[in-house]
Amino acid sequence: GESVGLHLPTLSVQEGDNSIINCAYSNSASDYFIWYKQESGKGPQFIIDIRSNMDKRQGQRVTVLLNKTVKHLSLQIAATQPGDSAVYFCAENSGYSTLTFGKGTMLLVSP
Amino acid sequence: GAVVSQHPSWVICKSGTSVKIECRSLDFQATTMFWYRQFPKQSLMLMATSNEGSKATYEQGVEKDKFLINHASLTLSTLTVTSAHPEDSSFYICSATSGVLTEAFFGQGTRLTVV
């Protein structure tokens, strides 16, 4: 599984590009996954979720893909904007509402 | 979405003193609240899980006597950092949920600096 506590990897994109942020989760029994966006000095903000009986879910400008075979989750952001710059975390529900967070990815969007 | 309010948003305290952080669910009943700790540029690390009216469950390595958690009502949980030391300086975040497999809503976080 992912190691919590390491420094964040960074994804740099140009405004208007599509962004793909990846996450590997650890618990094959997890049945609910969430992507969060965290801006500096603030708490995480819900973006989109997906249950294990689905492999894709779309929101406004965002799509989450779930591959249970390889325990992989991705977040796709279409037409990335400067306001999307933040740290993105995936989280898996490992039972009884307890969330386990991935290590996060910092997204930097250049105008 | 639902609102979780965390107070204070930042606090500076002297080494050896205690600090209390409040987490309130404003428009829903939180059966479970979670407390996280986050160091700069790192992920959120779960400290403890608390259910209303019962003792908190602490993650391995988290000292329950140092980080006192009280969840006396369905809308309020508190985290008290006792005898704070500079190494306790961190960003503390709470979240609340109303049931299994429902979204957890996060507070704004509290920046604790111990001097």
Side-chain angles (χ1 to χ4, degrees):
Chain A
E2 293 193 328
S3 299
V4 174
L6 299 179
H7 290 280
L8 298 170
T10 300
L11 173 65
S12 297
V13 301
Q14 294 285 331
E15 181 178 2
D17 287 351
N18 295 331
S19 302
I20 299 176
I21 300 171
N22 296 303
C23 174
Y25 63 92
S26 57
N27 189 344
S28 57
S30 294
D31 50 12
Y32 180 55
F33 305 87
I34 309 173
W35 278 100
Y36 287 95
K37 173 185 180 182
Q38 186 180 27
E39 297 175 334
S40 181
K42 297 182 179 180
Q45 178 184 6
F46 173 91
I47 301 175
I48 191 168
D49 59 359
I50 188 167
R51 300 191 188 280
S52 60
N53 61 351
M54 304 171 68
D55 52 22
K56 181 179 180 179
R57 190 162 187 229
Q58 288 185 290
Q60 187 177 12
R61 282 202 306 122
V62 294
T63 301
V64 55
L65 299 177
L66 173 63
N67 185 329
K68 296 183 288 294
T69 303
V70 294
K71 293 189 286 186
H72 184 269
L73 201 62
S74 69
L75 176 69
Q76 301 178 0
I77 305 174
T80 314
Q81 303 168 0
D84 294 327
S85 294
V87 177
Y88 290 81
F89 294 98
C90 67
E92 58 182 302
N93 184 311
S94 46
Y96 302 101
S97 300
T98 300
L99 292 177
T100 301
F101 282 80
K103 62 184 177 183
T105 298
M106 180 174 290
L107 177 64
L108 297 176
V109 183
S110 304
Chain B
V3 178
V4 174
S5 177
Q6 195 172 332
H7 178 81
S9 56
W10 62 270
V11 57
I12 302 173
C13 71
K14 289 185 177 181
S15 188
T17 62
S18 296
V19 174
K20 180 184 283 188
I21 302 170
E22 293 187 347
C23 180
R24 294 181 184 271
S25 58
L26 299 185
D27 51 2
F28 69 102
Q29 292 187 325
T31 52
T32 307
M33 288 189 171
F34 304 88
W35 288 95
Y36 296 85
R37 183 174 181 174
Q38 186 179 32
F39 292 106
K41 297 188 177 182
Q42 294 188 18
S43 188
L44 285 76
M45 297 182 66
L46 181 65
M47 298 175 67
T49 302
S50 73
N51 293 296
E52 183 264 341
S54 58
K55 290 183 178 181
T57 302
Y58 290 81
E59 295 299 300
Q60 191 173 9
V62 178
E63 299 176 59
K64 61 180 181 180
D65 294 329
K66 180 166 185 61
F67 298 100
L68 300 179
I69 291 172
N70 183 279
H71 192 166
S73 76
L74 284 171
T75 59
L76 174 65
S77 177
T78 60
L79 167 68
T80 302
V81 183
T82 62
S83 187
H85 290 286
E87 57 265 30
D88 298 324
S89 298
S90 189
F91 195 53
Y92 293 87
I93 308 171
C94 72
S95 74
T97 182
S98 59
V100 178
L101 292 185
T102 60
E103 177 188 345
F105 300 94
F106 284 82
Q108 314 95 302
T110 297
R111 171 74 58 195
L112 170 63
T113 303
V114 184
V115 297

